[in-house]
Amino acid sequence: MINCLNAARYFIMRAYEDGIEAEMTNMKVQKLLYYAQSIHLALYNEPLFEEEIQAWRYGPVCPPAYRFYSDFEAKQLPIPREASLSQLPSDEKELLEKVWEYFGGYHAYRLSDMTHGEFPWKRARRGLSPEGSSIEPILPDDMKALGYQKLDLIERDNPTYNAAMSEVLKNALAAKSFNRIRKGEVHDWLNSLLD
């Protein structure tokens, strides 16, 4: 398990490497941490970092990381020291890279809109007004379920997905079926359900 600040530093470093450091605000870091935690929970059934994610008014927030970068508000975050990233294990670094590849190009406001439309944040804020403040935690099981959804979207957006699925479908259609349905069997089955 890693520290949420090391995950945040990884995303900030990647923004500098990709030349989009001006877009890397505290808000964007918070949403990337949320998605990284969700996907890690889905893949490994354990959190990436132990720090809690809460359902704040403007979306999911990891309070220790938010406080650490709070002086910057909506300004560009400073580049982290390389030494702070050397502590990241390769598996965690690989996951953070995948999260960056998929979500890093989104603007902070787009990421915020995305999280507002998803059930974990909505469920944690149930009963609150849109302007209401909250420190209600977003449940790990809800983030894990969201992680499964995001992994499915990431897989479907992969350029090889359509080609692979086309091949599977082609092979399935070419295969000879040993369980052919005879004329009238579906009709008889449907009628049996209605009786």
Side-chain angles (χ1 to χ4, degrees):
M1 194 175 305
I2 64 172
N3 181 294
C4 68
L5 291 176
N6 284 339
R9 289 178 185 116
Y10 182 85
F11 293 133
I12 296 165
M13 181 66 78
R14 289 297 287 116
Y16 275 88
E17 288 173 2
D18 288 357
I20 58 170
E21 64 274 5
E23 295 179 17
M24 191 50 107
T25 62
N26 198 354
M27 179 191 287
K28 185 168 181 170
V29 166
Q30 298 307 313
K31 306 322 173 237
L32 293 171
L33 289 173
Y34 171 67
Y35 285 130
Q37 185 78 304
S38 296
I39 290 171
H40 196 276
L41 282 163
L43 286 172
Y44 303 109
N45 198 32
E46 63 182 32
L48 175 64
F49 48 85
E50 69 179 53
E51 293 85 1
E52 180 177 83
I53 295 184
Q54 298 175 350
W56 288 18
R57 177 180 173 188
Y58 294 109
V61 169
C62 181
Y66 180 83
R67 283 190 296 275
F68 189 82
Y69 292 111
S70 64
D71 289 345
F72 296 93
E73 290 295 322
K75 297 176 193 156
Q76 174 182 329
L77 300 177
I79 189 166
R81 292 189 319 265
E82 293 265 351
S84 64
L85 298 176
S86 64
Q87 303 168 12
L88 287 175
S90 59
D91 287 349
E92 281 79 357
K93 195 179 278 190
E94 186 177 326
L95 180 129
L96 294 172
E97 181 59 27
K98 292 297 180 194
V99 170
W100 176 258
E101 287 173 6
Y102 194 78
F103 297 102
Y106 288 110
H107 191 276
Y109 291 112
R110 175 69 180 118
L111 289 169
S112 183
D113 287 345
M114 288 165 56
T115 63
H116 282 217
E118 296 163 348
F119 75 93
W121 180 81
K122 286 180 172 182
R123 183 176 289 170
R125 290 190 57 84
R126 190 178 307 148
L128 292 172
S129 72
E131 296 81 30
S133 64
S134 171
I135 58 167
E136 190 66 30
I138 298 176
L139 299 176
D141 285 343
D142 288 349
M143 285 191 288
K144 180 179 178 179
L146 177 69
Y148 285 128
Q149 290 177 359
K150 294 302 179 187
L151 286 169
D152 186 52
L153 287 174
I154 291 167
E155 180 182 50
R156 289 174 187 265
D157 284 349
N158 188 307
T160 61
Y161 179 83
N162 285 335
M165 291 309 291
S166 293
E167 189 65 27
V168 168
L169 184 58
K170 182 178 134 188
N171 291 340
L173 292 173
K176 293 184 179 180
S177 174
F178 297 106
N179 297 324
R180 297 237 180 236
I181 299 172
R182 291 187 300 271
K183 186 176 181 178
E185 281 184 337
V186 172
H187 182 265
D188 293 344
W189 175 75
L190 288 173
N191 280 337
S192 74
L193 295 175
L194 299 174
D195 290 337

